[in-house]
Amino acid sequence: MKTRSPYLNYIADYMLTRQYSLRTINAFLGWIAKFILFHNKRHPSSMGDAEVKAFLDHIVLKRNMSPRTQSTALNALAFLYKHIVKNELSLNLNFARSNRQPKLPVVMTPDEVKQSLTHLHILQRATLCKKNERHNRHKQNGRSSMCQVQQFISRLSLTIYFLYSPSMQGNLLHFLATTHLVLTLLIKLSAGLQK
């Protein structure tokens, strides 16, 4: 947590003695350091509301930061001026507010759902056609069902890989891994109950 700046070390020690969490200390020190560097290493006591406004405008307009990031920067600077510089910021700071939209989750369209279910059905039918063949080879402990699940999941993951965009692939493969785990547990449970 020690930095090369005695001023930032003083702020860190001040926050530690008042039992701020280490994550808060690191976040505040990062924003205070960025603020000082943004203004060409001027000391914060020689700056005021205008410089804070310019910095907050910069991180929103030039760096496209999210509202939470801007809020964290503002809290760090408000702490700096209230507790360290002992010259509180004005309550009427008129800086540009971040209006970046939150990221929406990727959702499949009804056509994509229908297409993936069709592929599931085709793969399931292809897997079940060879059931007797595999069942005769692996009769013990439900292994035939395990083989079917594993083959089905591997074929389905290849289908997903080739049919969907990279952003969709991650969501579908995660769903597939979860489904594989659940099916494996169900097969093991049913094999244990049949004994």
Side-chain angles (χ1 to χ4, degrees):
M1 184 178 316
K2 293 292 180 187
T3 65
R4 294 186 338 197
S5 165
Y7 187 67
L8 292 178
N9 288 336
Y10 168 74
I11 295 171
D13 292 339
Y14 180 89
M15 292 178 81
L16 279 171
T17 58
R18 280 148 187 84
Q19 299 182 352
Y20 281 85
S21 74
L22 294 177
R23 293 179 80 180
T24 303
I25 295 171
N26 288 331
F28 278 24
L29 289 179
W31 282 112
I32 292 169
K34 288 175 188 171
F35 172 69
I36 293 170
L37 290 174
F38 177 76
H39 291 291
N40 298 319
K41 298 185 180 181
R42 285 175 52 199
H43 196 276
S45 62
S46 68
M47 298 185 280
D49 291 348
E51 288 81 3
V52 170
K53 178 192 175 307
F55 178 68
L56 293 173
D57 285 344
H58 169 75
I59 65 174
V60 170
L61 300 175
K62 301 282 191 240
R63 307 241 353 251
N64 195 26
M65 296 285 182
S66 71
R68 285 189 183 180
T69 305
Q70 186 185 32
S71 175
T72 304
L74 176 61
N75 288 337
L77 296 177
F79 170 84
L80 171 69
Y81 279 94
K82 181 177 182 178
H83 297 286
I84 306 299
V85 178
K86 307 262 191 255
N87 182 16
E88 287 192 43
L89 295 174
S90 169
L91 295 176
N92 300 326
L93 280 177
N94 190 19
F95 55 90
R97 302 271 181 195
S98 177
N99 59 359
R100 194 168 88 177
Q101 297 295 321
K103 292 184 179 177
L104 296 175
V106 177
V107 180
M108 292 172 59
T109 64
D111 290 337
E112 290 172 332
V113 171
K114 190 182 293 184
Q115 186 180 12
S116 61
L117 289 176
T118 303
H119 288 293
L120 276 171
H121 183 68
I122 291 170
L123 287 173
Q124 186 179 23
R125 284 182 48 197
T127 304
L128 291 176
C129 287
K130 297 182 180 179
K131 178 181 177 184
N132 292 335
E133 201 176 292
R134 270 188 240 107
H135 186 69
N136 291 335
R137 275 189 266 155
H138 306 286
K139 281 187 179 178
Q140 300 146 351
N141 296 333
R143 292 184 95 179
S144 66
S145 300
M146 290 289 284
C147 291
Q148 288 175 5
V149 168
Q150 289 170 349
Q151 187 175 15
F152 172 69
I153 295 296
S154 64
R155 285 182 183 168
L156 186 59
S157 59
L158 283 174
T159 304
I160 288 171
Y161 182 77
F162 288 112
L163 286 180
Y164 295 102
S165 66
S167 62
M168 291 291 294
Q169 288 173 10
N171 293 340
L172 290 171
L173 291 176
H174 176 71
F175 169 74
L176 208 55
T178 307
T179 305
H180 180 264
L181 180 66
V182 169
L183 288 174
T184 304
L185 289 172
L186 287 174
I187 290 169
K188 286 182 180 179
L189 282 173
S190 67
L193 292 175
Q194 289 175 359
K195 286 183 177 181

